[in-house]
Amino acid sequence: MKEYIKLLKEEKVLRQLSTIQLISYFGAWFSNVAIYTLLIELHVSASVVGFVAMLNFFAGVLQAPFSGPVIDRMNPKKLMLLLITVEIVATVSLIFVTQVSDLLLLYVLIFFKMAAASFYFTTEMSLLPKILHGSKLQRANELHSIIWSFSYTLGMAVSGFVVYWFGIKTAFMLDGLMFFIAFWLLFYTEIKIEILKVEENIFKMMQETFVYLKRTPKALHLMLIHSFVGLTAFDALVALMVDEYYASFIAASLALGLLHSARAVGLVIGPVYIGKWINNTRLVYVFIAQGTAVWIWAFAMHNFYLSLAVSVLVGFFTTTLWSYSYTLLQKNIEKKYYGRIVAYNDMLFLSSAAFTSYMIGFLAAHSFSLEAITAIIGSGFFVGALYYKYVLKSQKIEEIS
């Protein structure tokens, strides 16, 4: 943890961006718990829950081919301010969703809210390798994920009680307020980077990116490796678990908040213990450990308290898996292509998460047990381990130093 504190002290821009991230992410979980609580209260089908979870990622998939060229052409601060504004409007507007007939409005608002959030994330992750390098970049990626996890832990726990005590609409308004504070802080953040002058139009830049990927196959392989982390898109699974197993003895909002916050505890402490240990070769063991943890969860989910404990283990390996695979990609691509490659990387990751979310709802609606669905997801990480082992043997992957 000392390395992260030292990095924040040394890098002012990273410190300011991290503060903004902490505030905006903390608020975002108020909407997350409120949305799934609303769906449970409206007694929608499992397929609707899966579809809503999918929408959280699908917007980023659609915009990714265009977001990369835009990021490489625009001032990042102005772009990020615009995206936060979209998030504020979409979040506050969620208060108008009150019944089943409003589901179309819910879909539209989630789409725009998450499109802006995904675009913002891609912009920020394209910015980091322009201001940090080597081990500092790896630590910054880990810190980004730790902050996400910490805000996830606290936000999920607090939002569960907020929704339970004050209601769904209050949670949406508090989320909007957090984004407004983030906007204000970003407005006064000074970001000095060299903005490369790009002459090509957006479609020419897209074509150039595909040419680059063709001549640099390791970049595409690393993008696919990172996409396996999308299998941890458990929002729909947790909502269905609450509805099927726990709603009879605990309020849905409280169960949602506690389960997510338990997993987030693992997300926070994981990189603290294995962040220094991880390297290119050892990443394969993290894949295996992640798959094993998900399998254990499948056997434990009937018991709420046992499921809480295992949720910590499920989250323990995820942060390192996410941050290290992301840093590997950043390390192994040319600076000119940061925005575009990161955007396509996020497209693959979000596609994986969207597909996982949709299939959870689809399989549940077609009589698959939640335990079987969870076991299938766990198996995916063993496939990821085998694929990553192949990539290490077939490609020259630079170590992070």
Side-chain angles (χ1 to χ4, degrees), residues 68 71-72 122 125-130 132-134 137 141 196 208-224 226 324-346 348 395-400:
I71 291 168
D72 284 337
T122 304
M125 297 308 291
S126 302
L127 175 61
L128 288 182
K130 296 176 183 177
L132 299 168
H133 306 281
L137 178 59
N141 284 337
L196 300 176
E208 187 183 36
T209 306
F210 287 118
V211 172
Y212 174 74
L213 287 173
K214 186 176 181 179
R215 74 167 188 265
T216 317
K218 67 178 180 179
L220 181 58
H221 282 301
L222 291 173
M223 289 162 64
L224 291 170
H226 183 74
Y324 197 85
S325 60
Y326 214 117
T327 309
L328 271 182
L329 177 65
Q330 293 169 323
K331 177 72 174 179
N332 285 273
I333 58 176
E334 295 179 22
K335 182 178 180 179
K336 178 182 177 182
Y337 298 95
Y338 277 160
R340 282 165 280 178
I341 297 299
V342 167
Y344 282 112
N345 178 64
D346 290 345
L348 288 176
Q395 303 293 321
K396 185 178 180 181
I397 308 297
E398 295 183 40
E399 285 276 358
I400 298 170

Side-chain angles (χ1 to χ4, degrees), residues 16 22-23 49 71-72 87 99 122 141 169 208 230 249 287-288 291 296 311 338 342:
Q16 292 170 320
L22 177 62
I23 293 170
V49 174
I71 291 168
D72 284 337
E87 288 190 81
Q99 51 193 356
T122 304
N141 284 337
K169 290 185 179 181
E208 187 183 36
F249 63 89
F287 269 104
I288 294 171
I296 295 172
S311 293
Y338 277 160
V342 167

